[in-house]
Amino acid sequence: MSASITLGGRLRPAPGTILRGLLLAGLALLALLPVLNRLPPDAALYVSDFVVAVSGKWICYAILALAIDLAWGYAGILSLGHGAFFALGGYAIGMHLMRLIGPRGVYGHPVLPDFMVFLGYTELPWYWQGFQFFPFAFAMALIVPGVLAGVLGWLAFRSRITGVYLSIITQAMTYALMLAFFRNDMGFGGNNGFTDFKELLGMPLNTAGARAALFYAALASLGASLLLCRHITKSKLGRVLVAVRDAESRVRFLGYDTTAVKLSVFVLSAMLAGLAGALYVPLIGIINPGEFSPGNSIEAVVWVAVGGRGTLVGALLGAFSVNAIKTWLTSFAPDLWLFVLGGLFVAVTLLLPRGIVGLLQKGPGR
Amino acid sequence: MRDGRLYLDGVSVVFDGFRALNNLSLIVEPGELRAIIGPNGAGKTTMMDIITGKTRPTAGTVSFGDRDLTRLDEATIANLGIGRKFQKPTVFDALTVFENLELALKAPRDPWSCLRWRLSGTARRCIEAVLEEIGLAERADHRAAILSHGQRQWLEIGMLLMQDPKLLLVDEPVAGMTDQETEHTAALLRRIAGSRSVVVVEHDLEFVRALGEKVTVLCEGSVLSEGSIDHVQNDPRVVDVYLGR
Ligand SMILES: Nc1ncnc2c1ncn2[C@@H]1O[C@H](COP(=O)(O)OP(=O)(O)OP(=O)(O)O)[C@@H](O)[C@H]1O
Ligand SMILES: [Mg+2]
C-alpha cells in the first residue's frame, strides 16, 4: 500500500518520516547521556548526574506511556489505574532489593528488613519467600500486574463494562491498593515503603557505573517495548484493536471474541507498566504507597493524550515533553503543577485531539 | 433438521411491556433469497437482533440448522456462518477498504492468530475478488472514512462475503442510494444468493421487485402476508397497513 496522494484524497500523507527521525535521534541522544556524564565537569558537553537521573526516570515513564497507549490509544480501554501496575512492578523489585540488604540494615537482622524488625516480626511472611532471587522478583514484577489486570479485565470486559465505568473501576483499584499499602500490617513497609537499597545483581547501587547500567537497562527495555508494541500494532491484531476501539459491537458480529482481544492487550499493557516500575525503583532508590495515588495514573494518561494517543511515537513524545515541563515548573513553582496539568489536558482535548503528533503530521491518521 | 435452515417459531420480544415481535414464525431455506418488508417499527431490525444474538427473545424458538441461537453469543453465531449488515452502515473508518475486508475474511479469530497472521496469496486474491464484486477495487487503499454512503453499504456487503457465511442478513441495503446504485445492489444480492441464503429487509418496493423472490410482510411484530411481490401487493391487508398509506 503506497503512501502516494491521488485525486479523490488518499488521506494518509507519507506519515511519520519526520517523527521516526525525531524518535531515533532522541533515543540516540539519550544513549549518549551517561557517556557525557563521565566527561570532566568543565567540559562543554558535560552532563550532570541530575540530568542522567531525571532522564532515566523519564525513560521508565515512557514505557508506562507506551503501555497506556497500547490499551487506550489502540484498543480504546481507558485505564485510570496503570499507576498501580507500575507501582506493583516497583514493589516486586523493591522486595528483592530489601532482601539483598541482608544484615546491613540498621537493626542488623540477617534476614528481616528493618521495618519488620521494628514492627516486631519474628519471621519473614510467606509472600516474601523467593524474592531473594532476582529472576523470581523480576518475573513477579510482570506477573502480579498481569494477573491483577487479567482478573479485573475479565470481570469487566465479560460484563461489557466499558468507557467511563471501566475508568472508574481502575481508578478505584489503584486507590484501594494505595490504602492497603499504607497499612503496616500488609508487610510492605507501610507509608515509608522501601528504601536504603544497597545492591542489585552484585552491583553496589550508589556508584556512577551502577547508575549508567540501570539507565541503559531502562533504555534497552524502552527500545524492546517499542518494538513489541510496534509488532502488535502493525499486525492484524493491531487492526482488530483499532476496530474494537471504534465499533466494538461490529467486531463481535464479525465473529471476534472482543473480550479475549481486550483482555490480552490489557494484560500485556499491565505487564509493560510493571516492567516500567521495576526499572524505575532501582534507579530512584525508593518506593512507597504514594506511587499508587490516583493522580499518578491520571498524569500518565495526560502524557499520552498530549503526545497523541494511537501512535507509539506520540506516547513517547508526551511522556518526555510533559515531564520536561513538570521538572522545569516544579523547580520554581511546584504549586502550579496540578493546574498546568489540568490545563494541558483540557487544552489538548479541545484543541489538539490528536496531540503533538497530530500537530506535526497535519492530517488525519490513525 | 437441514443444514443452514433458519427457523423462527413463535418468537416474541417484549421491551418494557411493548411487543416488538409478536409470535413471529419464519423459515428461510438454504440458498433462498427472501425479502422482508413492513412499515417502520414493524420489528424487522429486532428480528435480525434476535437471530444474531444481540437481543434475547422473551419466548419462542430460533435455530439455524440444528443450533439453538438463543443460547449463543454474537461472536459464536457469526462463526456459525450468519453474517449481518446493519441498517446504519458501520465500517471501520480508521482502516482502509482492503483492511476492512481483511478483518472480515474467514480466518482464526483469536488474538494470537491475529498477531501471527500473514496475508497469503490466496487470501489476497479472495479479497481482490470481493473488491471487484462490490466495485471498490479502485478504493482498496483508501480509508473507509472517505467512502460515499453507497460505497459504505457495499463495503459492508463485501465484509459479509469475506466471512463466507451460509446466511446473510441485510438490513436496508439501498436506503439513500441512487437508482443506479440500487440496481447494482439488487444484482449483487441476486448473485450472492443461491450458494447461500440471504434475508433482505427493505422499504424500497422497486428494489424488492428487482430481487424477484419471495416476500414476507411484517407488521406489528408478526407475519402479515407472504408470497410473490404481486401476491403481497394485492393482499388487501397489506394494502391497508403498508402500501396504502
Ligand atoms: N432496545 C429496544 N428497547 C425498546 N424498544 C425497542 C428496542 N429496539 C426496538 N424497539 C422498538 O421495537 C419496535 C420495532 O423496532 P425495529 O427497529 O425492529 O423496527 P423496524 O421494522 O426495523 O423499523 P424501521 O423500518 O424503522 O427500521 C419499534 O417500535 C422500536 O421502537
Ligand atoms: Mg430497522
Side-chain angles (χ1 to χ4, degrees):
Chain A
M1 278 169 251
S2 78
S4 64
I5 297 172
T6 57
L7 275 182
R10 200 173 286 215
L11 281 177
R12 226 187 281 171
T17 20
I18 312 163
L19 283 172
R20 204 166 305 146
L22 204 70
L23 174 75
L24 290 177
L27 292 178
L29 189 70
L30 281 172
L32 273 180
L33 293 182
V35 178
L36 299 178
N37 178 239
R38 296 297 183 90
L39 292 174
D42 51 359
L45 289 174
Y46 172 74
V47 165
S48 68
D49 288 355
F50 173 75
V51 171
V52 177
V54 165
S55 316
K57 219 165 94 169
W58 294 353
I59 291 172
C60 300
Y61 289 157
I63 298 175
L64 176 59
L66 277 180
I68 291 174
D69 195 23
L70 190 65
W72 181 38
Y74 287 88
I77 306 165
L78 175 52
S79 159
L80 292 179
H82 259 52
F85 302 132
F86 180 87
L88 287 171
Y91 264 96
I93 285 297
M95 288 164 81
H96 177 61
L97 292 164
M98 291 304 272
R99 300 266 340 238
L100 290 186
I101 295 173
R104 285 170 288 184
V106 177
Y107 296 103
H109 192 285
V111 178
L112 294 186
D114 281 346
F115 76 87
M116 288 191 191
V117 180
F118 180 74
L119 291 172
Y121 282 69
T122 50
E123 59 182 28
L124 213 55
W126 63 267
Y127 47 85
W128 274 77
Q129 301 299 337
F131 279 91
Q132 67 271 39
F133 305 113
F134 177 79
F136 179 84
F138 186 73
M140 283 299 146
L142 306 183
I143 291 171
V144 172
V147 168
L148 179 61
V151 172
L152 194 80
W154 187 74
L155 291 172
F157 301 150
R158 198 183 50 122
S159 331
R160 304 207 174 158
I161 292 172
T162 54
V164 68
Y165 299 100
L166 185 82
S167 304
I168 291 171
I169 290 175
T170 52
Q171 177 93 128
M173 167 196 75
T174 194
Y175 187 64
L177 283 170
M178 178 177 75
L179 296 183
F181 274 73
F182 264 125
R183 297 171 61 94
N184 280 330
D185 53 14
M186 278 283 284
F188 296 112
N191 58 351
N192 294 320
F194 308 147
T195 189
D196 283 334
F197 309 134
K198 305 288 187 224
E199 59 169 297
L200 180 63
L201 293 169
M203 234 176 13
L205 280 176
N206 54 359
T207 64
R211 281 196 297 271
L214 290 171
F215 181 94
Y216 282 122
L219 191 59
S221 304
L222 175 61
S225 309
L226 188 61
L227 290 178
L228 175 68
C229 289
R230 202 183 123 84
H231 179 65
I232 292 168
T233 58
K234 294 279 174 202
S235 73
K236 189 168 97 172
L237 180 59
R239 297 191 283 281
V240 174
L241 295 180
V242 168
V244 166
R245 177 192 73 192
D246 294 344
E248 181 175 355
S249 77
R250 184 71 183 84
V251 182
R252 239 183 252 133
F253 286 111
L254 280 180
Y256 289 90
D257 177 358
T258 57
T259 302
V261 170
K262 287 163 69 175
L263 197 58
S264 57
V265 68
F266 192 55
V267 167
L268 181 70
S269 170
M271 292 171 78
L272 274 181
L275 171 69
L279 293 159
Y280 178 82
V281 168
L283 263 172
I284 67 156
I286 182 168
I287 173 88
N288 62 41
E291 291 297 338
F292 285 103
S293 78
N296 282 16
S297 296
I298 294 173
E299 205 170 314
V301 166
V302 177
W303 306 336
V304 178
V306 168
R309 70 188 151 115
T311 60
L312 299 175
V313 186
L316 302 187
L317 224 54
F320 284 106
S321 56
V322 176
N323 280 296
I325 297 173
K326 180 178 182 179
T327 304
W328 169 73
L329 193 74
T330 43
S331 67
F332 62 91
D335 297 342
L336 277 182
W337 170 239
L338 278 182
F339 296 101
V340 171
L341 184 71
L344 258 182
F345 189 61
V346 172
V348 164
T349 312
L350 295 179
L351 305 174
L352 276 184
R354 294 179 51 241
I356 301 175
V357 165
L359 195 68
L360 295 177
Q361 267 180 348
K362 287 260 166 61
R366 299 227 171 134
Chain B
M1 217 171 271
R2 287 178 55 189
D3 187 45
R5 180 200 220 200
L6 176 68
Y7 179 84
L8 276 74
D9 188 31
V11 174
S12 296
V13 175
V14 182
F15 294 117
D16 311 318
F18 172 76
R19 275 185 180 272
L21 291 184
N22 187 9
N23 199 16
L24 173 71
S25 301
L26 181 81
I27 293 176
V28 179
E29 297 292 345
E32 188 180 347
L33 170 58
R34 174 73 63 91
I36 297 192
I37 61 174
N40 291 113
K44 306 181 295 289
T45 300
T46 306
M47 181 196 76
M48 295 201 168
D49 289 346
I50 292 290
I51 298 169
T52 53
K54 187 178 177 198
T55 303
R56 298 290 178 208
T58 318
T61 312
V62 185
S63 63
F64 182 63
D66 53 5
R67 302 297 296 269
D68 177 359
L69 299 183
T70 60
R71 301 178 173 282
L72 306 175
D73 67 12
E74 294 99 318
T76 314
I77 292 176
N79 288 321
L80 284 183
I82 299 182
R84 173 172 188 185
K85 190 202 86 63
F86 287 80
Q87 184 163 353
K88 183 171 154 282
T90 27
V91 297
F92 304 115
D93 281 349
L95 305 179
T96 66
V97 170
F98 189 94
E99 289 168 341
N100 267 277
L101 293 174
E102 188 193 19
L103 275 202
L105 178 71
K106 201 172 182 179
R109 294 240 193 283
D110 59 289
W112 184 247
S113 305
C114 290
L115 184 64
R116 308 284 317 270
W117 166 259
R118 291 278 168 280
L119 188 67
S120 68
T122 330
R124 175 175 290 279
R125 279 189 293 281
C126 186
I127 294 173
E128 279 163 358
V130 169
L131 278 168
E132 287 296 334
E133 178 98 44
I134 59 176
L136 290 178
E138 302 274 287
R139 299 271 166 183
D141 293 342
H142 292 231
R143 290 187 342 125
I146 66 157
L147 295 183
S148 73
H149 179 75
Q151 288 170 330
R152 293 169 80 82
Q153 301 271 24
W154 289 332
L155 178 54
E156 268 227 77
I157 296 174
M159 288 165 74
L160 278 185
L161 292 177
M162 297 309 309
Q163 294 173 69
D164 192 23
K166 299 194 186 85
L167 168 66
L168 283 86
L169 305 172
V170 189
D171 202 348
E172 305 208 11
V174 299
M177 278 192 182
T178 63
D179 288 351
Q180 202 191 348
E181 287 174 331
T182 302
E183 253 170 56
H184 183 109
T185 309
L188 177 60
L189 290 176
R190 274 200 312 268
R191 273 204 301 281
I192 294 168
S195 51
R196 26 188 140 231
S197 332
V198 180
V199 175
V200 190
V201 162
E202 194 41 72
H203 280 293
D204 184 332
L205 286 183
E206 278 317 302
F207 172 77
V208 172
R209 186 172 286 282
L211 291 178
E213 298 277 341
K214 191 167 168 185
V215 179
T216 298
V217 185
L218 279 193
C219 183
E220 291 175 2
S222 41
V223 175
L224 186 68
S225 179
E226 208 164 67
S228 72
I229 179 80
D230 289 319
H231 169 83
V232 301
Q233 258 182 323
N234 292 319
D235 186 327
R237 286 169 307 175
V238 177
V239 174
D240 223 30
V241 302
Y242 185 51
L243 306 163
R245 293 189 305 164

